[in-house]
Structures are given as C-alpha cells and as structure tokens.
Amino acid sequence: MATRKGSRRASSGSVGHGEFVVYPGVPTGIYDVLERLSAAAGDSPDFGTPGISLDRTRLTVRWFGAPPPAVQAVIDSADVGSEIVVQQTGFRPGDLRSEAERLARAHAPVVQAAGARPEGDGIEVLISPQAAEEAGGAKAALAAQGITSEVPLFPEVGDAPPS
C-alpha cells in the first residue's frame, strides 16, 4: 500500500508539489533523499516532479536550469545504492503549475483538470467528454474553445475525479 509523504498536502486528494508517494519495494534511502531535496529546494519554481524508475535503481531529479548549491549538495552526498540523475526541464515547473491552474480556472467546465507534466515539457489537459464529442476530439475541443497556451498542451478526454 502506498502512502503520501511531504510537508504539504494537496486539498484535492492528489499529490501536490513537494509531496511524493511512498511505494513498497523502494529503498528507504531514496525517500530520505527526496525529503532532503524537498527541504533544500523549498518552494523553488525550478524544482520539478522527481521520479523513481520502475526497477527502483534510479532517482531522477527534474530541475529547470542548474540546481542551486544546497540542492546539488544533497544530490552529491546521497549514498542510496541507486543512481541519481538531474534531468533538465524544458520549462520552469512553477510556471507550468501556474499555467495549468489558469487553464483549469479560465476554461472550466471544458477543461476538467490540468497539470504540469512530470517531464516539465508542457501541460496535461483533461477535456470533458461532451466537449470532445461535440468538437470531434480532445485537440479539436481545444481549438473550438480557443484554448491556447504559450507552452505545449497534451489534451486527453475524461472527467475529473470528484474532489
């Protein structure tokens, strides 16, 4: 059974920025590093969503630009028996989160939900089934409703889970 860790709790029940899910079988040392990274990064808009490989041998730290010395020190001092890599994001994760919130707020109910992609390359947008059906698909619904962004949008059809 997975549990959530982190200093902040997302009100929607989903995992928020600075939180992570603890899965069985992942070495506890990786979670210690994640907690130290979250503390060192604080609310930095450059800190993206970290990822643990399926085989649990690699921790990917996603960052926009060069990590600051405090974050790099955590990465350099980590001795968890797993590879730790820094992956540069194409966009500042904080900007993606803000834009996702704007899209969801400004274009509801067509946009059921929106969130920054973990890879930091754009925003996942959940389009209502009705809007997608009327327009002929998720991408067509974005165009029909005039929903645009400065960052790439990755639309899918679906209903947002209840809050």
Side-chain angles (χ1 to χ4, degrees):
M1 180 165 169
T3 59
R4 292 184 345 169
K5 299 280 282 191
S7 59
R8 291 178 290 279
R9 296 286 178 211
S11 60
S12 65
S14 64
V15 177
H17 180 63
E19 293 184 323
F20 52 89
V21 178
V22 177
Y23 291 102
V26 175
T28 58
I30 288 181
Y31 294 114
D32 293 339
V33 171
L34 284 171
E35 287 179 353
R36 291 176 36 221
L37 280 170
S38 290
D43 288 331
S44 173
D46 296 335
F47 186 32
T49 305
I52 300 171
S53 64
L54 291 176
D55 64 1
R56 293 154 169 77
T57 62
R58 183 178 55 255
L59 172 62
T60 301
V61 178
R62 297 182 177 102
W63 201 272
F64 182 78
V71 170
Q72 191 63 53
V74 170
I75 294 167
D76 293 343
S77 69
D79 183 21
V80 295
S82 298
E83 177 185 18
I84 300 177
V85 297
V86 176
Q87 181 183 54
Q88 297 294 309
T89 62
F91 297 93
R92 179 170 273 117
D95 293 346
L96 293 175
R97 289 188 292 272
S98 294
E99 177 66 356
E101 289 172 11
R102 182 194 72 80
L103 289 167
R105 186 178 53 254
H107 299 288
V110 172
V111 173
Q112 294 282 295
R117 287 171 46 97
E119 300 82 2
D121 61 350
I123 299 172
E124 294 176 346
V125 182
L126 191 61
I127 304 296
S128 75
Q130 180 182 350
E133 184 178 327
E134 289 171 1
K139 284 185 181 182
L142 288 178
Q145 296 292 322
I147 300 171
T148 61
S149 178
E150 297 288 321
V151 299
L153 301 179
F154 296 83
E156 294 184 24
V157 177
D159 287 313
S163 350

